[in-house]
Amino acid sequence: GDIVFWTKPSGGSLQERLRIRSDSNITQTIDSDGDGFIITAGDMKPMLTGNSNRSAHNNTIFGISGKWNNTEVGRIAFEAGDDTTNKDNGKIRLYTTPSGGSLQTRMTITDDGNVGINQTTPNKAKLHVVADSGSTEKIVAKFRNPQGSADVKAKIGFAAGYSDTANDTEGHAYVGALRNGSGNSSSLFFEISEGNALQERFRVINGG
């Protein structure tokens, strides 16, 4: 049978709060404030841990699932890596479900820190971003500077050899978009470093 825990709020009636089912599943019934399982700690890190001895690569070690009226719409999965002897590496995958569809892998973080968005095997770069199929022209990624003033720039930077956190110039190169004045046209520009200063070397204006 099940083991059930009940409490009685002030002025109310008995309410089921926790149930340990005969199949070992645990169900918690929460109140209207929406606060469910809370871990409170002092000067220490509170951890939610799943520990399982899975046997195969890509097996889920621990997962968090979100269901909408019993239909799974999202999941975070901590999965076993390929070292099934030492069992000391792993990956994280994030899933969502499209309307009328099934659960799909959306992001993968590998054991060496590579990130794949819509790519389950990001093994050729630190970041892989892949568009959905079905279109001959697709915007794969956007980078925006939301400042609304004139001549705003949005840049993507590359740092070779030098630190990427010490400064924004030495060993750096940039490609970016420039808003032309306060209008709705833009230009493409390229910048490289000259020691500790950046110099624009090439620009494609909106007229070609």
Side-chain angles (χ1 to χ4, degrees):
D2 297 349
I3 300 176
V4 184
F5 295 84
W6 303 69
T7 63
K8 182 179 180 181
S10 177
S13 58
L14 280 172
Q15 303 288 330
E16 180 180 327
R17 301 304 187 189
L18 187 70
R19 180 181 293 265
I20 304 175
R21 299 186 182 276
S22 58
D23 59 4
S24 77
N25 289 339
I26 300 174
T27 303
Q28 180 189 13
T29 303
I30 64 175
D31 57 21
S32 59
D33 64 12
D35 292 334
F37 186 69
I38 301 173
I39 303 174
T40 302
D43 187 12
M44 64 186 70
K45 58 179 181 182
M47 296 283 290
L48 185 63
T49 302
N51 182 18
S52 57
N53 188 17
R54 303 305 301 272
S55 60
H57 181 208
N58 293 328
N59 281 173
T60 298
I61 300 168
F62 177 61
I64 302 173
S65 175
K67 293 186 176 181
W68 187 0
N69 194 31
N70 294 319
T71 298
E72 189 173 31
V73 297
R75 181 191 300 175
I76 303 173
F78 300 82
E79 300 179 355
D82 57 2
D83 189 350
T84 55
T85 300
N86 295 313
K87 298 185 176 182
D88 59 359
N89 68 327
K91 66 189 71 173
I92 302 173
R93 293 193 200 273
L94 281 71
Y95 301 78
T96 65
T97 303
S99 178
S102 58
L103 202 68
Q104 303 290 325
T105 306
R106 302 305 188 187
M107 179 182 289
T108 300
I109 304 174
T110 66
D111 60 345
D112 55 2
N114 290 356
V115 177
I117 299 175
N118 211 22
Q119 170 57 265
T120 58
T121 312
N123 59 354
K124 299 299 183 183
K126 275 300 174 187
L127 176 63
H128 287 246
V129 183
V130 180
D132 294 330
S133 59
S135 176
T136 56
E137 182 176 335
K138 196 80 170 182
I139 298 174
V140 179
K142 282 189 176 185
F143 302 88
R144 176 177 180 246
N145 180 352
Q147 179 64 33
S149 56
D151 299 317
V152 169
K153 291 182 177 181
K155 303 194 293 187
I156 299 174
F158 305 88
Y162 287 82
S163 170
D164 59 324
T165 58
N167 58 64
D168 296 322
T169 55
E170 293 179 315
H172 284 59
Y174 294 92
V175 58
L178 166 68
R179 181 186 186 186
N180 295 326
S182 299
N184 60 1
S185 65
S186 63
S187 298
L188 181 70
F189 67 89
F190 297 84
E191 293 178 340
I192 60 173
S193 64
E194 296 286 350
N196 59 359
L198 291 174
Q199 301 290 334
E200 182 178 317
R201 294 304 189 191
F202 186 71
R203 179 181 294 195
V204 181
I205 63 174
N206 62 309

